[in-house]
Amino acid sequence: MSDLKCDEIVFRPIGRVHHEAGGVPRHWSVSEVEGELVLDPCYTAGLGDIGPGERIVVLFHFHLSAPFDPALLRQNPPHRDRDLGVFSICSPRRPNPIGLSVLEVMAIDQNRIRVRGIDMFDGTPILDIKPFIATATECPSTDRRDET
Amino acid sequence: MSDLKCDEIVFRPIGRVHHEAGGVPRHWSVSEVEGELVLDPCYTAGLGDIGPGERIVVLFHFHLSAPFDPALLRQNPPHRDRDLGVFSICSPRRPNPIGLSVLEVMAIDQNRIRVRGIDMFDGTPILDIKPFIATATECPSTDRRDET
């Protein structure tokens, strides 16, 4: 397994988060902050099926996090009285600093998505946007040909 | 925005998916495939609070996907009769080829997590593991100090 760390995987931002809130809550599930996901215009055609009221999964880069350190394998999250493993919490300091937020779409205009529930800093690089799926029937490739 | 593509973000696998199924379903939500997430042993301490019955979010690299091409901004998913934007579907061919699966933990032994619901190829590089959270009360940093 020790060869794993030699395998570099390179991604590039597809856009950035923009908002004017002075601060953001610690987690999307308790956030009412509104702002915009501004994508590179080259991706506009890929946003055409996202609509108001929808929940989307936004993957992003915790670009301001200090590098991971083995001492952070267990961390004490806010409001908890004991350490938890990094893979059981949402800390921005993790082996690969990828964040995941589930945001509500308010509106969409070309390459700009107005969203609510932001817990990222202004300027955060966006890596991907996916549909929020909790069950099989919500999967976009589920057979809907019988639906009217 | 055109400077975005110059910003390289480098991640490294923390482990790999292993299973012996001949094939995998198109999506975790319809998969009964079992197998293991085998992490680099250096991360074992970070797995200590994951337990059987739990649902975890696994972020991974679609390492076998061909490079993204603008013609793929809209794609026709299986069982759908029209093209959809890439950010509304789970296609492995996306600007940043990051996959997201929600898997059920069957058992855990040191750096190996037995899971059900696999839709990744054997050997897929794992980028991150997070708790599955749909609501505020499920957030690991929610105040639970009043709980017994």
Side-chain angles (χ1 to χ4, degrees), chain B residues 23-35:
Chain B
V24 288
R26 59 183 166 73
H27 197 258
W28 58 265
S29 61
V30 294
S31 172
E32 297 287 332
V33 172
E34 293 187 19

Side-chain angles (χ1 to χ4, degrees), chain A residues 7-102:
Chain A
D7 294 345
E8 291 196 346
I9 301 170
V10 178
F11 297 126
R12 291 177 178 81
I14 59 171
R16 292 192 191 275
V17 178
H18 284 298
H19 63 80
E20 296 177 356
V24 288
R26 58 184 167 71
H27 196 258
W28 56 265
S29 60
V30 293
S31 173
E32 297 288 332
V33 171
E34 292 187 19
E36 283 190 328
L37 310 179
V38 183
L39 268 68
D40 187 304
C42 73
Y43 298 120
T44 300
L47 298 173
D49 295 286
I50 295 177
E54 194 176 330
R55 293 215 291 176
I56 54 175
V57 174
V58 180
L59 300 181
F60 58 93
H61 182 212
F62 283 119
H63 65 311
L64 300 180
S65 287
F68 188 73
D69 179 279
L72 297 166
L73 282 167
R74 300 186 64 76
Q75 303 177 36
N76 190 344
H79 303 299
R80 296 302 295 271
D81 57 7
R82 69 181 183 93
D83 288 351
L84 292 172
V86 68
F87 300 117
S88 292
I89 60 177
C90 303
S91 170
R93 297 196 66 186
R94 45 204 316 115
N96 287 311
I98 309 175
L100 185 165
S101 296
V102 180

Side-chain angles (χ1 to χ4, degrees), chain B residues 1 17 20 25 37-38 42 47 50 57-58 61 65-66 72 76 83 98-99 102-103 114 133 135 137 142-143 148:
Chain B
M1 294 289 288
V17 179
E20 296 178 357
L37 310 180
V38 183
C42 73
L47 299 173
I50 295 177
V57 174
V58 180
H61 182 211
S65 287
L72 298 166
N76 190 344
D83 287 351
I98 308 176
V102 181
L103 305 182
R114 181 92 191 157
I133 296 169
T135 65
T137 54
T142 292
D143 193 341
T148 53

Side-chain angles (χ1 to χ4, degrees), chain A residues 10-14 16 40 43, chain B residues 1-10:
Chain A
V10 178
F11 297 126
R12 291 177 178 81
I14 59 171
R16 292 192 191 275
D40 187 304
Y43 298 120
Chain B
M1 294 289 288
S2 57
D3 66 320
L4 277 173
K5 293 177 182 170
C6 301
D7 294 345
E8 292 197 344
I9 301 170
V10 178

Side-chain angles (χ1 to χ4, degrees), chain B residues 99-111:
Chain B
L100 185 165
S101 296
V102 181
L103 305 182
E104 181 186 352
V105 176
M106 314 294 289
I108 184 160
D109 179 16
Q110 299 291 323
N111 64 319

Side-chain angles (χ1 to χ4, degrees), chain B:
Chain B
M1 294 289 288
S2 57
D3 66 320
L4 277 173
K5 293 177 182 170
C6 301
D7 294 345
E8 292 197 344
I9 301 170
V10 178
F11 297 126
R12 291 177 178 79
I14 60 170
R16 292 191 190 278
V17 179
H18 284 298
H19 64 78
E20 296 178 357
V24 288
R26 59 183 166 73
H27 197 258
W28 58 265
S29 61
V30 294
S31 172
E32 297 287 332
V33 172
E34 293 187 19
E36 283 189 328
L37 310 180
V38 183
L39 268 69
D40 188 305
C42 73
Y43 298 119
T44 299
L47 299 173
D49 295 285
I50 295 177
E54 193 176 331
R55 294 215 289 177
I56 53 176
V57 174
V58 180
L59 300 182
F60 59 92
H61 182 211
F62 284 120
H63 65 311
L64 299 181
S65 287
F68 188 74
D69 179 280
L72 298 166
L73 283 168
R74 300 187 63 78
Q75 303 177 35
N76 190 344
H79 304 298
R80 297 301 294 270
D81 57 7
R82 67 181 184 94
D83 287 351
L84 292 171
V86 68
F87 300 117
S88 292
I89 60 176
C90 303
S91 169
R93 297 195 68 185
R94 44 203 317 115
N96 287 310
I98 308 176
L100 185 165
S101 296
V102 181
L103 305 182
E104 181 186 352
V105 176
M106 314 294 289
I108 184 160
D109 179 16
Q110 299 291 323
N111 64 319
R112 309 173 82 89
I113 310 175
R114 181 92 191 157
V115 290
R116 180 164 55 196
I118 288 175
D119 60 353
M120 312 89 134
F121 291 127
D122 179 50
T124 292
I126 300 167
L127 295 172
D128 198 6
I129 297 174
K130 297 178 184 293
F132 177 79
I133 296 169
T135 65
T137 54
E138 291 171 341
C139 176
S141 63
T142 292
D143 193 341
R144 290 182 172 82
R145 288 173 295 189
D146 293 336
E147 293 180 11
T148 53

